[in-house]
Amino acid sequence: MKTIVEKLREQLVELFLEKNDLLHEDVVELSQRLDQYILVIQSKMMKKECEQA
């Protein structure tokens, strides 16, 4: 899943450079997709920490 996040992050940077607008619809959409993956990873990490405690 981390590789997906890295690829999405790279795509987001490229898309931003192409559109030159953080509020462009495509940039916002990709950013939101990236956020969803990041939240899943953080949730899994927190779950592991709680289980270890």
Side-chain angles (χ1 to χ4, degrees), residues 15-48:
L15 187 60
F16 167 70
L17 292 174
E18 176 186 319
K19 304 295 183 183
N20 199 27
D21 181 6
L22 282 174
L23 299 178
H24 188 279
E25 178 181 326
D26 296 338
V27 174
V28 171
E29 181 181 326
L30 186 55
S31 177
Q32 289 173 341
R33 281 183 40 208
L34 179 57
D35 287 346
Q36 289 173 346
Y37 278 100
I38 291 170
L39 287 173
V40 168
I41 290 172
Q42 287 177 336
S43 175
K44 287 182 178 184
M45 289 173 62
M46 289 179 68
K47 185 177 179 181
K48 284 183 182 179

